[in-house]
Amino acid sequence: MKVIIIEDEAAAYNNIKRILNQLDPGIEILCNLDTVASSVSWLQNNPAPDLIFLDIQLADGSSFNIFECINIDVPIIFTTAYDEYAINAFQVNSVDYLLKPITQESVRRALDKLNRVSNINLKKAINDIDMLLRPKGYTQRILVPVKDKILPVSTDKIAYFYNTEGVTELTTTDQKNYKIDKPLDKIILTLNPSIFTRANRQFIISKEVVRDITIWFDNRLLVNLSLNTPEKIFVSKNRAAEFKVWFAS
């Protein structure tokens, strides 16, 4: 099993490392990361580990910000000094929360829990975490990784999101481009639907940059923005009526 530990306290990291080595010498600890920015960068540029130990509070902010920047599809064991009652609200099927100080027995139980769960249940647990961490209101800003920093981009400055070959880019109204490691189907759930819509498989667009609409020969809509796009934006015949209602509202 390949593991990364995201923890900004040296003593806590050394404790988890020692416990894992005692429980299973075959566990390979790939690295220790101590910030949101370094975690996002590592996860974007390396093969996914089998398991992540994740502290909730890191040196540069909440580790929940990692989920805003990238899509994580591996099991996570959270480590935290938070009160146990607060943690109960976040309990999910196969992902555990360990209270500090971390003990060997608590890690053993968490690893046993992960070993018992099926891949189907694991996917469900990951989806449950995504739901729990999703903002209660509409997102006001998107966090994007830029080298070794995390840059907040206000949603009122976003023109569109574009996905091609599995890579998502965010383009601002002043035509700056940022790559973000999240699929469009997750991004759209966090955005205000009166402002943003999923035009097609490739684009989420902001109403604020729609210049006009052309009725295409096969009853599709060609959406023209006030700035350049990497390809033409077509809305299918089946969604044309819905799109026009959104645009008019």
mmCIF file with all atom_site columns, all heavy atoms in Angstrom, residues 156-167:
data_model
loop_
_atom_site.group_PDB
_atom_site.id
_atom_site.type_symbol
_atom_site.label_atom_id
_atom_site.label_alt_id
_atom_site.label_comp_id
_atom_site.label_asym_id
_atom_site.label_entity_id
_atom_site.label_seq_id
_atom_site.pdbx_PDB_ins_code
_atom_site.Cartn_x
_atom_site.Cartn_y
_atom_site.Cartn_z
_atom_site.occupancy
_atom_site.B_iso_or_equiv
_atom_site.pdbx_formal_charge
_atom_site.auth_seq_id
_atom_site.auth_comp_id
_atom_site.auth_asym_id
_atom_site.auth_atom_id
_atom_site.pdbx_PDB_model_num
ATOM 1   N N   . ASP A 1 156 ? -17.689 35.971 -10.374 1.00 0.00 ? 156 ASP A N   1
ATOM 2   C CA  . ASP A 1 156 ? -18.176 37.037 -11.257 1.00 0.00 ? 156 ASP A CA  1
ATOM 3   C C   . ASP A 1 156 ? -17.119 37.462 -12.284 1.00 0.00 ? 156 ASP A C   1
ATOM 4   O O   . ASP A 1 156 ? -17.410 38.258 -13.180 1.00 0.00 ? 156 ASP A O   1
ATOM 5   C CB  . ASP A 1 156 ? -18.687 38.247 -10.468 1.00 0.00 ? 156 ASP A CB  1
ATOM 6   C CG  . ASP A 1 156 ? -17.611 38.901 -9.603  1.00 0.00 ? 156 ASP A CG  1
ATOM 7   O OD1 . ASP A 1 156 ? -16.428 38.515 -9.703  1.00 0.00 ? 156 ASP A OD1 1
ATOM 8   O OD2 . ASP A 1 156 ? -17.952 39.801 -8.820  1.00 0.00 ? 156 ASP A OD2 1
ATOM 9   N N   . LYS A 1 157 ? -15.915 36.894 -12.157 1.00 0.00 ? 157 LYS A N   1
ATOM 10  C CA  . LYS A 1 157 ? -14.855 37.155 -13.128 1.00 0.00 ? 157 LYS A CA  1
ATOM 11  C C   . LYS A 1 157 ? -14.654 35.975 -14.088 1.00 0.00 ? 157 LYS A C   1
ATOM 12  O O   . LYS A 1 157 ? -13.776 36.015 -14.945 1.00 0.00 ? 157 LYS A O   1
ATOM 13  C CB  . LYS A 1 157 ? -13.531 37.434 -12.411 1.00 0.00 ? 157 LYS A CB  1
ATOM 14  C CG  . LYS A 1 157 ? -13.570 38.610 -11.446 1.00 0.00 ? 157 LYS A CG  1
ATOM 15  C CD  . LYS A 1 157 ? -13.816 39.926 -12.160 1.00 0.00 ? 157 LYS A CD  1
ATOM 16  C CE  . LYS A 1 157 ? -13.750 41.095 -11.188 1.00 0.00 ? 157 LYS A CE  1
ATOM 17  N NZ  . LYS A 1 157 ? -14.088 42.381 -11.861 1.00 0.00 ? 157 LYS A NZ  1
ATOM 18  N N   . ILE A 1 158 ? -15.479 34.928 -13.942 1.00 0.00 ? 158 ILE A N   1
ATOM 19  C CA  . ILE A 1 158 ? -15.328 33.731 -14.765 1.00 0.00 ? 158 ILE A CA  1
ATOM 20  C C   . ILE A 1 158 ? -16.229 33.816 -15.988 1.00 0.00 ? 158 ILE A C   1
ATOM 21  O O   . ILE A 1 158 ? -17.440 34.060 -15.867 1.00 0.00 ? 158 ILE A O   1
ATOM 22  C CB  . ILE A 1 158 ? -15.654 32.463 -13.958 1.00 0.00 ? 158 ILE A CB  1
ATOM 23  C CG1 . ILE A 1 158 ? -14.647 32.298 -12.806 1.00 0.00 ? 158 ILE A CG1 1
ATOM 24  C CG2 . ILE A 1 158 ? -15.622 31.220 -14.857 1.00 0.00 ? 158 ILE A CG2 1
ATOM 25  C CD1 . ILE A 1 158 ? -14.979 31.168 -11.859 1.00 0.00 ? 158 ILE A CD1 1
ATOM 26  N N   . ALA A 1 159 ? -15.650 33.614 -17.160 1.00 0.00 ? 159 ALA A N   1
ATOM 27  C CA  . ALA A 1 159 ? -16.419 33.625 -18.407 1.00 0.00 ? 159 ALA A CA  1
ATOM 28  C C   . ALA A 1 159 ? -16.941 32.230 -18.732 1.00 0.00 ? 159 ALA A C   1
ATOM 29  O O   . ALA A 1 159 ? -18.121 32.052 -19.038 1.00 0.00 ? 159 ALA A O   1
ATOM 30  C CB  . ALA A 1 159 ? -15.561 34.134 -19.553 1.00 0.00 ? 159 ALA A CB  1
ATOM 31  N N   . TYR A 1 160 ? -16.059 31.238 -18.665 1.00 0.00 ? 160 TYR A N   1
ATOM 32  C CA  . TYR A 1 160 ? -16.494 29.872 -18.957 1.00 0.00 ? 160 TYR A CA  1
ATOM 33  C C   . TYR A 1 160 ? -15.490 28.856 -18.439 1.00 0.00 ? 160 TYR A C   1
ATOM 34  O O   . TYR A 1 160 ? -14.335 29.189 -18.136 1.00 0.00 ? 160 TYR A O   1
ATOM 35  C CB  . TYR A 1 160 ? -16.716 29.671 -20.467 1.00 0.00 ? 160 TYR A CB  1
ATOM 36  C CG  . TYR A 1 160 ? -15.490 29.864 -21.341 1.00 0.00 ? 160 TYR A CG  1
ATOM 37  C CD1 . TYR A 1 160 ? -14.572 28.834 -21.553 1.00 0.00 ? 160 TYR A CD1 1
ATOM 38  C CD2 . TYR A 1 160 ? -15.258 31.079 -21.987 1.00 0.00 ? 160 TYR A CD2 1
ATOM 39  C CE1 . TYR A 1 160 ? -13.454 29.015 -22.356 1.00 0.00 ? 160 TYR A CE1 1
ATOM 40  C CE2 . TYR A 1 160 ? -14.148 31.273 -22.795 1.00 0.00 ? 160 TYR A CE2 1
ATOM 41  C CZ  . TYR A 1 160 ? -13.252 30.231 -22.983 1.00 0.00 ? 160 TYR A CZ  1
ATOM 42  O OH  . TYR A 1 160 ? -12.138 30.417 -23.776 1.00 0.00 ? 160 TYR A OH  1
ATOM 43  N N   . PHE A 1 161 ? -15.960 27.614 -18.335 1.00 0.00 ? 161 PHE A N   1
ATOM 44  C CA  . PHE A 1 161 ? -15.121 26.448 -18.083 1.00 0.00 ? 161 PHE A CA  1
ATOM 45  C C   . PHE A 1 161 ? -15.149 25.603 -19.347 1.00 0.00 ? 161 PHE A C   1
ATOM 46  O O   . PHE A 1 161 ? -16.211 25.434 -19.965 1.00 0.00 ? 161 PHE A O   1
ATOM 47  C CB  . PHE A 1 161 ? -15.656 25.624 -16.915 1.00 0.00 ? 161 PHE A CB  1
ATOM 48  C CG  . PHE A 1 161 ? -15.692 26.330 -15.600 1.00 0.00 ? 161 PHE A CG  1
ATOM 49  C CD1 . PHE A 1 161 ? -16.783 27.120 -15.254 1.00 0.00 ? 161 PHE A CD1 1
ATOM 50  C CD2 . PHE A 1 161 ? -14.657 26.200 -14.689 1.00 0.00 ? 161 PHE A CD2 1
ATOM 51  C CE1 . PHE A 1 161 ? -16.845 27.769 -14.026 1.00 0.00 ? 161 PHE A CE1 1
ATOM 52  C CE2 . PHE A 1 161 ? -14.703 26.840 -13.456 1.00 0.00 ? 161 PHE A CE2 1
ATOM 53  C CZ  . PHE A 1 161 ? -15.800 27.632 -13.132 1.00 0.00 ? 161 PHE A CZ  1
ATOM 54  N N   . TYR A 1 162 ? -14.012 25.051 -19.703 1.00 0.00 ? 162 TYR A N   1
ATOM 55  C CA  . TYR A 1 162 ? -13.906 24.255 -20.931 1.00 0.00 ? 162 TYR A CA  1
ATOM 56  C C   . TYR A 1 162 ? -13.152 22.975 -20.632 1.00 0.00 ? 162 TYR A C   1
ATOM 57  O O   . TYR A 1 162 ? -12.103 22.989 -19.982 1.00 0.00 ? 162 TYR A O   1
ATOM 58  C CB  . TYR A 1 162 ? -13.167 25.060 -21.999 1.00 0.00 ? 162 TYR A CB  1
ATOM 59  C CG  . TYR A 1 162 ? -12.851 24.302 -23.269 1.00 0.00 ? 162 TYR A CG  1
ATOM 60  C CD1 . TYR A 1 162 ? -13.852 23.832 -24.104 1.00 0.00 ? 162 TYR A CD1 1
ATOM 61  C CD2 . TYR A 1 162 ? -11.519 24.077 -23.647 1.00 0.00 ? 162 TYR A CD2 1
ATOM 62  C CE1 . TYR A 1 162 ? -13.560 23.154 -25.278 1.00 0.00 ? 162 TYR A CE1 1
ATOM 63  C CE2 . TYR A 1 162 ? -11.211 23.407 -24.825 1.00 0.00 ? 162 TYR A CE2 1
ATOM 64  C CZ  . TYR A 1 162 ? -12.245 22.946 -25.634 1.00 0.00 ? 162 TYR A CZ  1
ATOM 65  O OH  . TYR A 1 162 ? -11.948 22.275 -26.801 1.00 0.00 ? 162 TYR A OH  1
ATOM 66  N N   . ASN A 1 163 ? -13.718 21.857 -21.077 1.00 0.00 ? 163 ASN A N   1
ATOM 67  C CA  . ASN A 1 163 ? -13.071 20.566 -20.858 1.00 0.00 ? 163 ASN A CA  1
ATOM 68  C C   . ASN A 1 163 ? -12.820 19.876 -22.192 1.00 0.00 ? 163 ASN A C   1
ATOM 69  O O   . ASN A 1 163 ? -13.728 19.752 -23.016 1.00 0.00 ? 163 ASN A O   1
ATOM 70  C CB  . ASN A 1 163 ? -13.943 19.664 -19.980 1.00 0.00 ? 163 ASN A CB  1
ATOM 71  C CG  . ASN A 1 163 ? -13.265 18.343 -19.656 1.00 0.00 ? 163 ASN A CG  1
ATOM 72  O OD1 . ASN A 1 163 ? -13.198 17.446 -20.477 1.00 0.00 ? 163 ASN A OD1 1
ATOM 73  N ND2 . ASN A 1 163 ? -12.750 18.242 -18.437 1.00 0.00 ? 163 ASN A ND2 1
ATOM 74  N N   . THR A 1 164 ? -11.581 19.450 -22.394 1.00 0.00 ? 164 THR A N   1
ATOM 75  C CA  . THR A 1 164 ? -11.237 18.676 -23.572 1.00 0.00 ? 164 THR A CA  1
ATOM 76  C C   . THR A 1 164 ? -10.216 17.626 -23.192 1.00 0.00 ? 164 THR A C   1
ATOM 77  O O   . THR A 1 164 ? -9.266  17.904 -22.439 1.00 0.00 ? 164 THR A O   1
ATOM 78  C CB  . THR A 1 164 ? -10.679 19.574 -24.699 1.00 0.00 ? 164 THR A CB  1
ATOM 79  O OG1 . THR A 1 164 ? -10.375 18.768 -25.842 1.00 0.00 ? 164 THR A OG1 1
ATOM 80  C CG2 . THR A 1 164 ? -9.428  20.308 -24.262 1.00 0.00 ? 164 THR A CG2 1
ATOM 81  N N   . GLU A 1 165 ? -10.444 16.400 -23.646 1.00 0.00 ? 165 GLU A N   1
ATOM 82  C CA  . GLU A 1 165 ? -9.561  15.271 -23.362 1.00 0.00 ? 165 GLU A CA  1
ATOM 83  C C   . GLU A 1 165 ? -9.309  15.116 -21.862 1.00 0.00 ? 165 GLU A C   1
ATOM 84  O O   . GLU A 1 165 ? -8.197  14.798 -21.423 1.00 0.00 ? 165 GLU A O   1
ATOM 85  C CB  . GLU A 1 165 ? -8.244  15.415 -24.128 1.00 0.00 ? 165 GLU A CB  1
ATOM 86  C CG  . GLU A 1 165 ? -8.431  15.393 -25.647 1.00 0.00 ? 165 GLU A CG  1
ATOM 87  C CD  . GLU A 1 165 ? -7.129  15.507 -26.401 1.00 0.00 ? 165 GLU A CD  1
ATOM 88  O OE1 . GLU A 1 165 ? -6.087  15.745 -25.751 1.00 0.00 ? 165 GLU A OE1 1
ATOM 89  O OE2 . GLU A 1 165 ? -7.146  15.343 -27.630 1.00 0.00 ? 165 GLU A OE2 1
ATOM 90  N N   . GLY A 1 166 ? -10.343 15.365 -21.070 1.00 0.00 ? 166 GLY A N   1
ATOM 91  C CA  . GLY A 1 166 ? -10.251 15.179 -19.634 1.00 0.00 ? 166 GLY A CA  1
ATOM 92  C C   . GLY A 1 166 ? -9.586  16.300 -18.868 1.00 0.00 ? 166 GLY A C   1
ATOM 93  O O   . GLY A 1 166 ? -9.444  16.225 -17.646 1.00 0.00 ? 166 GLY A O   1
ATOM 94  N N   . VAL A 1 167 ? -9.180  17.365 -19.551 1.00 0.00 ? 167 VAL A N   1
ATOM 95  C CA  . VAL A 1 167 ? -8.519  18.499 -18.902 1.00 0.00 ? 167 VAL A CA  1
ATOM 96  C C   . VAL A 1 167 ? -9.496  19.668 -18.849 1.00 0.00 ? 167 VAL A C   1
ATOM 97  O O   . VAL A 1 167 ? -10.069 20.067 -19.864 1.00 0.00 ? 167 VAL A O   1
ATOM 98  C CB  . VAL A 1 167 ? -7.246  18.912 -19.655 1.00 0.00 ? 167 VAL A CB  1
ATOM 99  C CG1 . VAL A 1 167 ? -6.619  20.142 -19.004 1.00 0.00 ? 167 VAL A CG1 1
ATOM 100 C CG2 . VAL A 1 167 ? -6.255  17.762 -19.704 1.00 0.00 ? 167 VAL A CG2 1
#
